[in-house]
Amino acid sequence: MVSGDYPGEPVREDDLSYMRRALAAAEEAAGRGEVPVGALLVDGQGEILAVDGNRTIGAHDPSAHAEMMVLRRAAEVLQNHRLIGTTLYVTLEPCLMCVGAMIQARISRLVFGAADPKAGAVVSLYHLADDPRLNHRFPVTQGVLAPECGDILRRFFRARRS
């Protein structure tokens, strides 16, 4: 499930179940008319701190990506802007903005489903998660349930075009 030339981390046993929950959040986002991207953040013990999907359209907020929503909520839950020891699961490779927030939050690991060749900032266009020029780096596991994560996006955009 790890693909491409990025030296990604191996898939762990619980990655699939967490990614399925992120896919459910993506479906919920699609039901609201949002681009179907879902995310969740778990702490070091595997407890889910926050789950959400994209909300950019409904919130009239260009920063309301699923990852941003989850990072914000988890920071509130933990009462800390640092999310050390956490793993972020997201159905689509994060963009520049979201990876920047992950770096600032000091997440410990990222797991994503489908690559994003047009805006991905982890393996597609940039490699920010492991850029030695930045003050924080984190391991990445890519391609977890990638077919399912890509399919929900394809179905959504196909329906919008027709």
Side-chain angles (χ1 to χ4, degrees):
M1 287 189 192
V2 177
S3 60
D5 60 359
Y6 185 79
E9 293 286 304
V11 175
R12 298 178 187 173
E13 189 174 319
D14 53 355
D15 289 346
L16 297 173
S17 62
Y18 289 129
M19 188 60 75
R20 285 188 187 97
R21 181 62 188 96
L23 272 165
E27 291 282 1
E28 292 167 12
R32 294 190 302 272
E34 301 279 354
V35 174
V37 176
L40 68 88
L41 191 74
V42 299
D43 66 15
Q45 290 72 48
E47 294 294 318
I48 296 174
L49 298 171
V51 181
D52 211 339
N54 274 355
R55 294 185 177 275
T56 58
I57 297 166
H60 310 289
D61 179 357
S63 72
H65 290 191
E67 303 95 302
M68 299 294 286
M69 301 303 297
V70 164
L71 292 173
R72 288 176 186 145
R73 286 207 179 108
E76 288 177 14
V77 166
L78 296 175
Q79 290 294 289
N80 195 335
H81 68 291
R82 298 289 192 227
L83 302 173
I84 296 166
T86 61
T87 298
L88 180 68
Y89 292 84
V90 62
T91 58
L92 182 65
E93 178 183 359
C95 70
L96 281 164
M97 173 185 67
C98 292
V99 177
M102 291 173 212
I103 291 167
Q104 293 301 314
R106 306 294 196 269
I107 69 161
S108 294
R109 180 172 175 246
L110 169 67
V111 179
F112 74 87
D116 186 351
K118 294 184 179 180
V122 179
V123 298
S124 295
L125 297 179
Y126 306 98
H127 289 247
L128 295 180
D130 67 346
D131 189 324
R133 298 170 295 177
L134 300 173
N135 64 341
H136 178 70
R137 289 173 292 287
F138 47 87
V140 175
T141 302
Q142 64 174 311
V144 176
L145 300 180
E148 294 91 332
C149 293
D151 284 347
I152 188 173
L153 287 159
R154 281 187 287 282
R155 285 193 318 266
F156 177 81
F157 287 112
R158 190 177 308 126
R160 300 248 335 225
R161 286 190 296 270
S162 58

